[in-house]
Amino acid sequence: MVKVINEQVRRFSEEIDQCVVHRPDGQVQVDLGAIASLVRNDGDVAHRQIELYCAYAAGSPSYLKTAALLAVACAVELGDPKPLRRVEDRAVFLGAEDVLLDLEQEVGLQQDCPSRQAAVAWWAAQPDGTVAVCDGCGDGLPRGDGYVLDSSRWLFGGLQVDLGEVLLCSRCYLRKRRGGSDG
């Protein structure tokens, strides 16, 4: 990574502040296009800013929201998924996974991933009144919610059984993603 000087970080931080508004109720308003442009034009500084926000999150986990937005932009614009993994790991370390789940609901970070699209298709094929539970934790899922993964295999006394697709809530999906790739 290229050495990033403090002035670059300060300038980038000011530009991010113009893209992200943290409201008193904990919600954020985001200009995702502007964030993508910032990251595309200054990837090294974006990486450094993610590291700083992850450090700041020890005092205020809401910094993880902005770190995650930048990390997603790094994955999309720069083809680098490592910052997103770093933010997720920091959230787990701080016990602040809910901050990322809240952000996902606020700005729909995962709406375009294949697992989310598979869940939307699964729900569309279900008759009205269908009730579903997360295959990871057993919690009920609201209609249209969740993620579908095709990776559920269990060993029973040396016999491997492929259980096919599983429907996961956001929390279980986030945990699964930490341990593997998106299905």
Side-chain angles (χ1 to χ4, degrees):
M1 186 182 305
V2 175
K3 183 176 180 176
V4 176
I5 59 173
N6 288 339
E7 180 58 30
Q8 290 173 301
V9 171
R10 186 194 58 73
R11 179 191 46 77
F12 192 88
S13 181
E14 289 172 356
E15 291 173 358
I16 287 295
D17 287 345
Q18 294 176 11
C19 300
V20 179
V21 177
H22 294 271
R23 298 186 337 209
D25 62 0
Q27 303 286 313
V28 291
Q29 292 178 322
V30 182
D31 182 346
L32 295 174
I35 287 178
S37 178
L38 285 172
V39 168
R40 186 179 330 109
N41 294 329
D42 221 342
D44 292 323
V45 180
H47 281 90
R48 180 67 181 131
Q49 193 68 46
I50 291 167
E51 292 173 9
L52 289 171
Y53 284 141
C54 285
Y56 298 159
S60 177
S62 66
Y63 278 104
L64 290 171
K65 291 181 179 184
T66 307
L69 291 170
L70 291 171
V72 168
C74 284
V76 171
E77 297 296 327
L78 306 176
D80 184 2
K82 288 180 272 181
L84 189 55
R85 174 69 57 101
R86 183 179 311 127
V87 173
E88 291 172 345
D89 289 346
R90 184 66 171 166
V92 170
F93 177 78
L94 295 172
E97 294 162 290
D98 289 346
V99 171
L100 296 184
L101 296 175
D102 290 346
L103 177 65
E104 179 183 322
Q105 293 168 359
E106 291 166 20
V107 297
L109 286 179
Q110 299 296 332
Q111 294 306 309
D112 293 332
C113 79
S115 294
R116 181 70 191 118
Q117 291 172 350
V120 169
W122 183 87
W123 277 107
Q126 304 307 309
D128 287 343
T130 298
V131 177
V133 296
C134 172
D135 291 318
C137 66
D139 287 351
L141 288 170
R143 185 166 184 82
D145 200 10
Y147 300 83
V148 170
L149 294 178
D150 186 22
S151 62
S152 185
R153 291 188 176 91
W154 295 84
L155 288 175
F156 295 104
L159 176 65
Q160 181 173 330
V161 178
D162 185 351
L163 299 177
E165 294 180 337
V166 293
L167 181 63
L168 300 175
C169 67
S170 295
R171 183 182 318 274
C172 290
Y173 174 74
L174 182 60
R175 287 186 184 127
K176 180 77 171 171
R177 277 197 48 217
R178 280 198 321 271
S181 64
D182 178 28

